[in-house]
Amino acid sequence: MRGEAGLLADLDALAIPFEAHEHAAVFTVEESRNIDADIPGTHTKNLFLKDAGGTFWLVTVPAEARVDLKALPAAIGCKRVSFGKAGDMDRLLGITPGSVTPLAMINAQPESVIVVLDRSLAKAERMNVHPLRNTGTLGLSGKHVLALLRHWGHEPHVAEIPKKAG
């Protein structure tokens, strides 16, 4: 597991600009609302999922999105999904619930987890994600998140993630 030091080293090595913010621990989108108000950019929500075939997925969407889990498999090309277990998250991504981030793919073996970014985030000038812990936020562009994922050996899927109405 490379951890946050490895993440920061890769950001530096690839000359990827970012803005870092430190804050109190947050575990849910609801808890993060007060902190998010002071940080510009699109805030994110991450779903660690396992499909009925045993494949793990990490899906990142805008924070306010209500993902339609029944329609999601057709949109990303998988079987029926359920939430992954904390033990699998730790084993595969080296993180704990509340700290889920696409940047955790730095710790994942290629093809062990499929990473999916909502199309709007892939195009975002600034998306905000955790730096492998829930006491900080990194703001960087969607194109740079995609570049990092590819650098770590993961070909990210960019998809229109189905949202529930309302």
Side-chain angles (χ1 to χ4, degrees), residues 48 56 84-98 100:
F48 179 67
F56 289 95
K85 293 181 167 52
D88 291 323
M89 184 185 300
D90 180 42
R91 176 177 57 84
L92 295 167
L93 300 173
I95 56 172
T96 58
V100 186

Side-chain angles (χ1 to χ4, degrees), residues 44-92:
T44 58
K45 170 169 47 181
N46 301 276
L47 306 174
F48 179 67
L49 305 168
K50 184 177 182 181
D51 75 14
T55 301
F56 289 95
W57 298 79
L58 177 58
V59 179
T60 303
V61 299
E64 299 305 321
R66 294 180 57 226
V67 176
D68 184 339
L69 293 177
K70 288 185 179 174
L72 182 64
I76 64 174
C78 70
K79 299 179 184 205
R80 184 180 48 81
V81 295
S82 59
F83 287 97
K85 293 181 167 52
D88 291 323
M89 184 185 300
D90 180 42
R91 176 177 57 84
L92 295 167

Side-chain angles (χ1 to χ4, degrees), residues 111-126:
E111 301 181 26
S112 63
V113 178
I114 299 171
V115 63
V116 181
L117 245 57
D118 185 80
R119 189 173 314 286
S120 66
L121 293 176
K123 296 177 182 179
E125 286 187 36
R126 179 171 168 158

Side-chain angles (χ1 to χ4, degrees), residues 5-164:
L7 169 62
L8 295 173
D10 285 353
L11 287 167
D12 185 51
L14 297 172
I16 293 177
F18 66 93
E19 189 172 316
H21 298 271
E22 296 298 320
H23 51 74
V26 292
F27 293 90
T28 65
V29 169
E30 186 64 38
E31 288 178 0
S32 68
R33 282 201 175 103
N34 291 335
I35 292 165
D36 291 352
D38 296 330
I39 302 173
T42 303
H43 296 277
T44 58
K45 170 169 47 181
N46 301 276
L47 306 174
F48 179 67
L49 305 168
K50 184 177 182 181
D51 75 14
T55 301
F56 289 95
W57 298 79
L58 177 58
V59 179
T60 303
V61 299
E64 299 305 321
R66 294 180 57 226
V67 176
D68 184 339
L69 293 177
K70 288 185 179 174
L72 182 64
I76 64 174
C78 70
K79 299 179 184 205
R80 184 180 48 81
V81 295
S82 59
F83 287 97
K85 293 181 167 52
D88 291 323
M89 184 185 300
D90 180 42
R91 176 177 57 84
L92 295 167
L93 300 173
I95 56 172
T96 58
S99 299
V100 186
T101 171
L103 302 181
M105 295 300 288
I106 189 174
N107 294 324
Q109 293 298 314
E111 301 181 26
S112 63
V113 178
I114 299 171
V115 63
V116 181
L117 245 57
D118 185 80
R119 189 173 314 286
S120 66
L121 293 176
K123 296 177 182 179
E125 286 187 36
R126 179 171 168 158
M127 61 183 280
N128 295 302
V129 294
H130 289 309
L132 309 180
R133 57 186 168 84
N134 64 353
T135 56
T137 296
L138 292 183
L140 61 164
S141 73
K143 74 177 181 182
H144 286 126
V145 171
L146 294 172
L148 279 167
L149 294 168
R150 290 181 179 116
H151 175 74
W152 298 325
H154 306 286
E155 186 52 44
H157 295 263
V158 175
E160 196 67 41
I161 303 300
K163 320 285 190 308
K164 289 183 180 177

